[in-house]
Amino acid sequence: LVERCCQQLTAEPLLAGVKLLLTAGPTREALDPVRYISNHSSGKMGFALAAAAAELGAAVTLVTGPVNLPTPVGVRRIDVESALQMHEAVMSRIGECDLFIGCAAVADYRPAQVASQKIKKTGDNDQMALSLVKNPDIIAAVGALSDKPFTVGFAAETVDVEQYALDKLRRKRLDMIAANDVSRAGQGFNADDNALTVFWQGGQAALPLADKLTLARHLVALIARHYRP
Ligand code: C5P
């Protein structure tokens, strides 16, 4: 609490008056009433970014998939489950925001059909095929808007991190992308620590391994320096 108060009182309000919309956590794609497809995202990085931006004076709205984390002080939280719900929650609010950070690990595909009753195991069925359809790419939809907010994405990669990150920056029309190497033990998905390399048109910065709140403070300060209203 003392640390939080000191941070709040000493942090320069670089984002005062700025409206930030942020996605965090995984999405859950239902198969039937009791099963779903998801991923290992804990939401820790997105929640740390929401806290760090609020410390700098931003008005933060956090759209989050199912996570087990407390809402950061002063942050407005909207809970969703599926990628379609997250897409709707973001697109209905995007016109009101100045900055958008897509930190959620959105499922790329969802089951083509959601069974209304629990899918049963049958004696003669040793295999089961699932048919999946593509989910909307939320951050790409934001990047495609004619008056898009300053948009920051994430790239979680296991190989060729820089190449894939730069490709996403261009393809999704992002202003910045923060890349992390999720193949390294103890950082990235579900871990408490992380390291990032941030790319933008004509520049890059390495943010070394640190706990996610420290890293989030560095990243939000970097974003604040590049953001031009
Ligand atoms: O292409 P990839 O999914 O790896 O890109 C990751 C970035 O795109 C993240 O910022 C993530 O939040 C965003 N994303 C999204 N909607 C999707 C898939 C990814 O907003 N359906």
Side-chain angles (χ1 to χ4, degrees):
L1 187 62
V2 170
E3 193 195 331
R4 257 298 155 79
C5 291
C6 291
Q7 189 69 34
Q8 198 83 44
L9 291 171
T10 54
E12 206 188 322
L14 289 173
L15 293 176
V18 173
K19 297 191 192 92
L20 166 66
L21 186 63
L22 191 82
T23 65
T27 64
R28 279 183 188 171
E29 310 301 325
L31 276 164
D32 68 15
V34 296
R35 304 186 182 94
Y36 55 81
I37 298 173
S38 192
N39 58 63
H40 291 296
S41 170
S42 63
K44 285 175 190 165
M45 193 66 219
F47 274 58
L49 285 166
E55 283 172 2
L56 296 191
V60 183
T61 302
L62 174 62
V63 178
T64 180
V67 295
N68 197 7
L69 293 171
T71 309
V73 179
V75 168
R76 180 170 164 235
R77 171 174 175 165
I78 295 159
D79 288 284
V80 297
E81 290 232 334
S82 66
L84 287 180
Q85 288 169 356
M86 187 173 276
H87 179 258
E88 156 62 22
V90 167
M91 298 318 281
S92 63
R93 290 169 180 86
I94 199 74
E96 303 152 21
C97 79
D98 310 302
L99 260 176
F100 176 76
I101 305 178
C103 193
V106 185
D108 289 329
Y109 292 87
R110 66 180 183 277
Q113 256 124 38
V114 184
S116 57
Q117 306 297 334
K118 185 180 170 191
I119 300 166
K120 292 305 226 187
K121 179 171 64 180
T122 57
D124 56 353
N125 237 349
D126 287 344
Q127 289 192 5
M128 176 180 264
L130 271 182
S131 177
L132 304 174
V133 291
K134 213 177 224 168
N135 270 326
D137 190 314
I138 301 168
I139 208 165
V142 171
L145 294 171
S146 54
D147 58 345
K148 72 180 178 82
F150 188 93
T151 305
V152 182
F154 273 76
E157 305 291 351
T158 51
V159 287
D160 299 331
V161 177
E162 176 169 353
Q163 188 193 322
Y164 282 117
L166 288 173
D167 174 59
K168 264 172 219 175
L169 184 81
R170 286 186 213 103
R171 207 165 22 88
K172 301 193 186 205
R173 298 188 65 230
L174 310 179
D175 295 291
M176 276 186 147
I177 191 155
N180 54 354
D181 183 345
V182 286
S183 67
R184 295 193 195 167
Q187 67 184 69
F189 268 169
N190 220 344
D192 289 324
D193 293 342
N194 204 3
L196 295 168
T197 311
V198 188
F199 301 91
W200 58 91
Q201 207 63 54
Q204 69 180 72
L207 305 183
L209 190 67
D211 68 273
K212 285 183 176 173
L213 185 56
T214 302
L215 196 63
R217 285 177 179 144
H218 289 306
L219 179 56
V220 167
L222 191 64
I223 292 169
R225 282 206 294 279
H226 283 81
Y227 164 68
R228 298 273 180 277

